[in-house]
Amino acid sequence: MLLLALDTATPAVTVALHDGTSVVAESSQVDARRHGELLLPAVDRVLTEAGLRLDAVTGIVVGVGPGPYTGLRVGLMTADTFGLALGVPVHGVCTLDALAYEARDALDGPFVVATDARRKEVYWARYDDARTRVTEAAVDRPADIASLVEGLPAVGAGALLFPDTFPDARGPQNVSAAALAALAAEKLAAGEELLEPRPLYLRRPDAQVPKNYKVVTPK
């Protein structure tokens, strides 16, 4: 097994290679505006560090979000393209699940994962432990979910942005492809099914066609 994992659902552009036992190489850069520019060089950098070619990859793992439309689609389209070109399966993993898994050594018991959804909202879910999500991923204003997350520690950049709702906020802030790959490898080894590589947007994109605009056509 050699999994190429990537995620662009958070401000981090993150890529990793996993051989089924451990991470072989990884790269992460935080830049919310340059996902498309940074992703392919990161893939090349990780392959070079591992001394491998892209055709050695046996599977692709991609974070499906939730996340902003523009950044999220960069990772998903790249994963689909690699899978088609290489003839290998493409597996999806919820980005919140990967962030929860990344925090597995720091938390013991129930907690919350919250990432920045912009518009003063968070993408969030509750977990009984790092492998067990107990709510669907959702997008909400922090004040609206305060009673649902009260008393629980929280990880993710969204939690750090809203200390009134998440007073016990901790790192990691953004997901890493290393955690994404490790979680996927663990699930595959156990015979568990992963998600389809389809985006989990949860809301409409920020960019909208203006309403009531004037259509000008030649006479």
Side-chain angles (χ1 to χ4, degrees):
M1 179 188 294
L2 184 65
L3 299 175
L4 173 64
L6 51 97
D7 193 295
T8 56
T10 74
V13 179
T14 180
V15 179
L17 282 171
H18 196 286
D19 64 6
T21 301
S22 60
V23 174
V24 177
E26 61 179 302
S27 171
S28 291
Q29 296 172 270
V30 177
D31 192 328
R33 298 180 180 274
R34 299 173 63 208
H35 290 95
E37 180 181 344
L38 296 175
L39 182 56
L40 290 180
V43 171
D44 183 65
R45 186 163 54 250
V46 165
L47 289 168
T48 299
E49 180 181 337
L52 297 168
R53 292 164 49 94
L54 183 60
D55 58 11
V57 170
T58 61
I60 310 294
V61 180
V62 61
V64 300
Y69 177 83
T70 303
L72 185 54
R73 66 178 179 174
V74 171
L76 285 160
M77 289 301 297
T78 301
D80 280 343
T81 301
F82 282 156
L84 183 62
L86 298 171
V88 299
V90 181
H91 307 288
V93 172
C94 174
T95 299
L96 300 181
D97 291 354
L99 194 50
Y101 188 79
E102 189 167 1
R104 63 193 181 279
D105 294 330
L107 292 167
D108 181 20
F111 64 97
V112 179
V113 173
T115 61
D116 183 12
R118 305 173 187 172
R119 304 184 193 176
K120 298 181 180 180
E121 295 179 330
V122 292
Y123 297 117
W124 71 283
R126 283 182 52 161
Y127 293 78
D128 272 349
D129 56 54
R131 285 277 271 109
T132 309
R133 176 159 45 90
V134 294
T135 66
E136 294 295 325
V139 58
D140 289 290
R141 289 184 177 273
D144 294 339
I145 61 170
S147 63
L148 301 177
V149 303
E150 186 177 3
L152 296 176
V155 300
L160 293 168
L161 287 172
F162 300 99
D164 288 346
T165 300
F166 306 102
D168 188 4
R170 316 175 184 187
Q173 294 190 43
N174 299 308
V175 70
S176 74
L180 191 81
L183 177 59
E186 183 179 301
K187 285 178 172 286
L188 289 171
E192 297 181 38
E193 289 189 10
L194 299 181
L195 301 176
E196 291 293 320
R198 298 293 175 261
L200 187 59
Y201 290 132
L202 299 187
R203 70 183 184 201
R204 298 175 67 83
D206 293 335
Q208 299 285 338
V209 176
K211 295 180 179 179
N212 303 319
Y213 64 90
K214 183 177 181 181
V215 178
V216 180
T217 56
K219 295 184 178 179

